[in-house]
Amino acid sequence: MKVLVVGGGGREHAICWKLAQSPKVTELYCAPGNAGIAQVATCVPVSATDVEGMVKWAKDNAMDFVMVAPDDPLALGMEDAMEAAGIPAFGPHANAAVIEASKAFSKSLMKKYHIPTAKYETFDDPAKVMAYIRAEGKYPVVIKADGLALGKGVVVAATVEEAEKAVREMMEDHKFGASGSTVVIEECMVGPEVTVLAFCDGEHLVPMLSSQDHKRAYDGNQGPNTGGMGAFCPSPNYTPDIAARCEKEIFQPTVAALQAEGRPFKGVIYFGLMLTADGPKVVEYNARFGDPETQPILSMLDTDLMDIFQACVDGTLDQVDVKWKPGAACCIVLASGGYPVEYKKGYPISGLEEAGKSAVVFHAGTKKADNGDINQTQKRYRDIGY
Ligand code: AMP
Ligand code: GLY
């Protein structure tokens, strides 16, 4: 099969690395890819958000299958466009990807189908938001931009001043553009956080190993929030009892809810969970593989990833035995000093071959220079898009 993966981050490198091991995949392409991905796939210079350009390239080059990894092209309808062009594509339709693209939508879905999550209200008038927060009088309070904000549209405000500042930035200064013109105000949940990604074919769901990502830039959980500095799997907090409860109270009801709404989900659902004293609750849904979580998770997968992707598209996921290697995996992100605020790009990255002897090295935002050096020349996917 000729297969195209859309994206260019560490997550896409992990996906390409795993697909390259499949005997079914004879030709592997990635758009736009990066210097690491170039070791396992042919990189194609088409931007990940160029829906029309991507469909044209896939058609012109007779792709048998396309895997759309990032959230933006999914929200833009790249999967729908591929399907309309007759190319089987892994990823949700835009009408299902909305569980990530609109927090107001996902919260109302959870409310309607009694899926446990934090109590919330949705607003599009800044004056009403502050009146509500003052009347509730409970801090910390969580303020979220409705739309996609590259993982940065969430503020946990400890005081009224912090809440006012966040609301002003989102709704009046338009820090996240149109994404912040509607905001969701949530009660603050407390407990360990666990992520569970699940393969989904519209009807059946197969959870992957549980995982946890690490978002702060510095050691000791200090420093600014980033797109993710590392992740490990499985999570010791995700016991078999909690897993059974999540399947029954959260995973199956979510798949059934999307089906009932005429938005059957095929692809990967990312369940961001908080294990509260009242049981597991949903923090957020994403409509895709997480980054960096995918890197350790796919390192542990023992089944042919192409078989799973095809079964998700064909609606036959119940017939695939998804197996995992025993043990655990951990991913550590290396970035330029000062990341993610102010940092220099373009340094040559040395020692990659040596590191590759004892670990798998996945690249994000790297490019091969004319002299053969590998440089970090772009920001990482989760910081800008791609
Ligand atoms: P989100 O983009 O919705 O995943 O939010 C990013 C992070 O904000 C989560 O990983 C949590 O750590 C935190 N967060 C979001 N919503 C809540 C909530 N209702 N209670 C406590 N923490 C939250
Ligand atoms: N690591 C968080 C995410 O992919 O959204």
Side-chain angles (χ1 to χ4, degrees), residues 97-119:
V98 71
I99 60 164
E100 170 168 10
S102 168
K103 291 194 193 295
F105 173 86
S106 59
K107 292 298 284 190
S108 68
L109 186 86
M110 288 184 258
K111 194 183 229 175
K112 183 170 171 189
Y113 291 92
H114 309 291
I115 297 164
T117 188
K119 188 180 154 221

Side-chain angles (χ1 to χ4, degrees), residues 3 33 57 99 154 163 177 206 209 278 306 371 379:
V3 178
W57 189 91
I99 60 164
V154 176
V206 176
L209 289 182
D278 300 333
M306 197 60 224
N371 67 0
K379 290 189 182 177

Side-chain angles (χ1 to χ4, degrees), residues 116 196 205 207 210 237-253 273 275 280:
V196 178
L205 171 138
S210 63
N237 292 317
Y238 195 69
T239 60
D241 279 355
I242 289 175
R245 213 170 148 183
C246 287
E247 285 240 17
K248 186 162 162 268
E249 295 172 16
I250 296 174
F251 305 162
Q252 298 299 346
L273 306 168
L275 308 180

Side-chain angles (χ1 to χ4, degrees), residues 32-339:
N34 64 40
I37 292 174
Q39 293 161 4
V40 289
T42 305
C43 295
V44 178
V46 179
S47 154
T49 47
D50 179 359
V51 175
E52 221 174 285
M54 200 66 77
V55 173
K56 183 174 182 322
W57 189 91
K59 259 167 70 176
D60 289 351
N61 293 278
M63 288 300 113
D64 297 305
F65 196 93
V66 176
M67 190 282 163
V68 185
D71 43 348
D72 283 353
L74 289 168
L76 289 170
M78 190 177 279
E79 187 280 339
D80 307 69
M82 290 292 172
E83 212 179 271
I87 305 167
F90 179 90
H93 294 303
N95 77 353
V98 71
I99 60 164
E100 170 168 10
S102 168
K103 291 194 193 295
F105 173 86
S106 59
K107 292 298 284 190
S108 68
L109 186 86
M110 288 184 258
K111 194 183 229 175
K112 183 170 171 189
Y113 291 92
H114 309 291
I115 297 164
T117 188
K119 188 180 154 221
Y120 79 102
E121 288 294 332
T122 304
F123 296 91
D124 49 22
D125 177 350
K128 289 194 180 143
V129 182
M130 284 317 299
Y132 171 81
I133 291 175
R134 286 207 183 85
E136 285 283 299
K138 274 193 220 141
Y139 292 91
V141 63
V142 181
I143 302 165
K144 299 185 174 184
D146 174 50
L148 297 176
L150 300 167
K152 295 179 184 62
V154 176
V155 173
V156 181
T159 60
V160 69
E161 289 76 24
E162 282 179 32
E164 273 171 352
K165 180 165 170 269
V167 171
R168 208 179 319 118
E169 284 179 351
M170 283 182 201
M171 302 190 86
E172 286 164 11
D173 304 343
H174 305 290
K175 188 173 175 187
F176 304 110
S179 289
S181 49
T182 299
V183 300
V184 174
I185 306 298
E186 286 186 11
E187 71 170 321
C188 188
M189 300 184 286
V190 184
E193 281 187 61
V194 175
T195 294
V196 178
L197 310 185
F199 295 110
C200 209
D201 70 358
E203 187 183 349
H204 312 102
L205 171 138
V206 176
M208 302 181 215
L209 289 182
S210 63
S211 61
Q212 261 174 265
D213 71 345
H214 181 89
K215 289 200 169 76
R216 299 292 201 100
Y218 312 142
D219 289 346
N221 217 19
Q222 301 293 309
N225 234 6
T226 70
M229 295 307 292
F232 61 86
C233 73
S235 160
N237 292 317
Y238 195 69
T239 60
D241 279 355
I242 289 175
R245 213 170 148 183
C246 287
E247 285 240 17
K248 186 162 162 268
E249 295 172 16
I250 296 174
F251 305 162
Q252 298 299 346
T254 299
V255 173
L258 285 162
Q259 218 180 359
E261 293 289 311
R263 301 168 185 267
F265 193 103
K266 70 184 168 61
V268 170
I269 305 189
Y270 175 118
F271 295 94
L273 306 168
M274 186 88 78
L275 308 180
T276 75
D278 300 333
K281 294 189 184 181
V282 176
V283 179
E284 64 160 345
Y285 292 129
N286 291 326
R288 52 170 174 81
F289 276 107
D291 196 8
E293 294 91 329
T294 301
Q295 301 175 48
I297 290 173
L298 289 187
S299 315
M300 300 294 286
L301 180 63
D302 216 10
T303 305
D304 187 329
L305 185 58
M306 197 60 224
D307 283 344
I308 303 175
F309 282 172
Q310 280 185 300
C312 289
V313 171
D314 296 344
T316 53
L317 189 57
D318 56 326
Q319 291 161 35
V320 182
D321 187 13
V322 179
K323 292 208 178 96
W324 302 95
K325 294 178 183 145
C330 176
C331 156
I332 297 165
V333 173
L334 306 183
S336 193
Y339 175 82

